[in-house]
Amino acid sequence: MDLSGRVLKQVHRTAGWYATSVHLDFICSSNSRTFRLHNLSTGVVYNLPEELTEEHAAEERNTYRFFAAAAFGQARSTGQYKVLRVLVRETSAYTGNFFEIITLGGGSHARWRAKESPPFSVCLDMWKTVVIDGIAYYFCCVDPAVREEEAASDRIASFDLDREEWRPTLRGPLSSSSVDYAPYRPFHRIYPFDLSMSTINGSLVVVHRADRSSLADLWFLMDFERGLWVKQHSIRVQFSDPVPYGLPETVRPLLVLSDGRIVFVQAGDKRVLLRIYDPRTNTYSDVAEIMGRCCAVGLYTGGALGLANGTG
């Protein structure tokens, strides 16, 4: 849809398949650990192989639960599209991740390739992963039993799709700064459901919505090597009370308009709101409301020609 809420295109899904992410004008959908990429501009659908690599197929025999998530982007040097698949393995004694990567355009011979895992398991919940300029970012899942300074859940792992390797783990904006977030939570903990991850105008953004607060702080990564974060915006919105045992509503910013207004998605258990926030007046306007669960929201940056057919 456009920023007036008008629906421009609908794409029919196959029964049993669900959209998991929208990026680079592709919709990524999944059925268990099988993935498809649907190009919104051309209509081309890439069906990725389901088979595991030889190394991970052997591990599956000792696993009682094995599911997957995927992130995709373009390698910076070649422009090739690549998909990074995360396999979550659970046994009676172990929970961890395996990683596999595949390059699109390899024809019938394209296969997943096993990659090393980062020091921490990664979080695969909704709004916890983004891909920016060929780098896939994930929040780390850390055992809360470890030392407090190592347990901050805004720690970020990042994978370079070009070099196909992990970069150094990055401390998030809260655990790496002098921000006092203790009033929001006891024991100085940062809880995963307080955080979401997004990209605005090419920058990595961590959104911190403290529990019981109407403010969502937007932290921009200014320098990866120095771990420098700057809080550039705070969005004040009205949140709904979470359903019993449900999670608080999450804010996911999409872009900053030329006049400084911020387009964002507010997603909860029962609805999704597309809103535009004006920091000059501290007010927001509603663009659209979608009832039900939402799994993927992203920006379409292609030309209008790809949307000309209306329904695909």
Side-chain angles (χ1 to χ4, degrees), residues 34 222 235 271 311:
T34 306
M222 309 304 293
I235 299 177
R271 64 173 185 168
T311 302

Side-chain angles (χ1 to χ4, degrees), residues 1-4 197-203 205 207 218 220 232-233 235 251-266 274-279 287 297-301:
M1 62 179 63
D2 60 20
L3 292 185
S4 67
M197 189 184 293
S198 187
T199 174
I200 297 181
N201 301 347
S203 297
V205 177
V207 183
L218 276 55
F220 285 64
Q232 293 194 2
H233 303 282
I235 299 177
V251 168
R252 184 179 177 91
L254 298 176
L255 76 158
V256 177
L257 300 175
S258 58
D259 60 3
R261 292 181 300 158
I262 302 170
V263 181
F264 69 97
V265 171
Q266 183 176 329
L274 182 63
R275 291 176 157 174
I276 301 179
Y277 178 76
D278 190 337
V287 176
V297 178
L299 290 175
Y300 177 77
T301 58

Side-chain angles (χ1 to χ4, degrees), residues 46-47 49 102-111:
Y46 296 89
N47 293 290
I102 193 170
T103 303
L104 299 188
S108 60
H109 300 292
R111 294 290 183 270

Side-chain angles (χ1 to χ4, degrees), residues 40-215:
L40 284 169
S41 297
T42 65
V44 174
V45 177
Y46 296 89
N47 293 290
L48 305 184
E50 179 180 359
E51 294 78 12
L52 303 177
T53 62
E54 184 176 346
E55 302 95 314
H56 298 157
E59 292 285 349
E60 187 179 23
R61 289 190 287 270
N62 300 319
T63 300
Y64 70 82
R65 190 181 184 194
F66 214 162
F67 62 95
F72 63 96
Q74 278 184 293
R76 286 170 291 183
S77 64
T78 64
Q80 291 177 307
Y81 290 101
K82 294 186 178 182
V83 181
L84 181 64
R85 181 167 68 172
V86 188
L87 303 166
V88 181
R89 170 199 174 197
E90 294 186 10
T91 69
S92 58
Y94 173 82
T95 298
N97 303 141
F98 296 133
F99 294 84
E100 300 177 344
I101 195 168
I102 193 170
T103 303
L104 299 188
S108 60
H109 300 292
R111 294 290 183 270
W112 295 101
R113 305 183 300 277
K115 292 297 171 181
E116 292 185 0
S117 300
F120 301 106
S121 296
V122 299
C123 182
L124 301 178
D125 294 340
M126 190 167 62
W127 321 121
K128 305 297 186 185
T129 303
V130 296
V131 181
I132 306 171
D133 193 24
I135 306 294
Y137 296 91
Y138 299 87
F139 281 122
C140 296
C141 299
V142 184
D143 185 349
V146 302
R147 295 198 313 268
E148 181 67 38
E149 63 268 23
E150 295 179 353
S153 59
D154 67 340
R155 186 188 295 269
I156 295 171
S158 59
F159 184 87
D160 190 323
L161 294 176
D162 196 358
R163 303 178 64 178
E164 298 190 2
E165 63 183 23
W166 293 96
R167 304 195 300 172
T169 304
L170 176 70
R171 281 194 175 275
L174 302 181
S175 58
S176 63
S177 71
S178 59
V179 173
D180 181 14
Y181 52 87
Y184 302 125
R185 292 287 185 187
F187 311 117
H188 298 268
R189 290 255 182 228
I190 307 168
Y191 282 66
F193 50 77
D194 290 338
L195 300 169
S196 63
M197 189 184 293
S198 187
T199 174
I200 297 181
N201 301 347
S203 297
L204 174 65
V205 177
V206 166
V207 183
H208 177 227
R209 184 238 161 158
D211 194 23
R212 299 181 297 275
S213 171
S214 61
L215 279 178

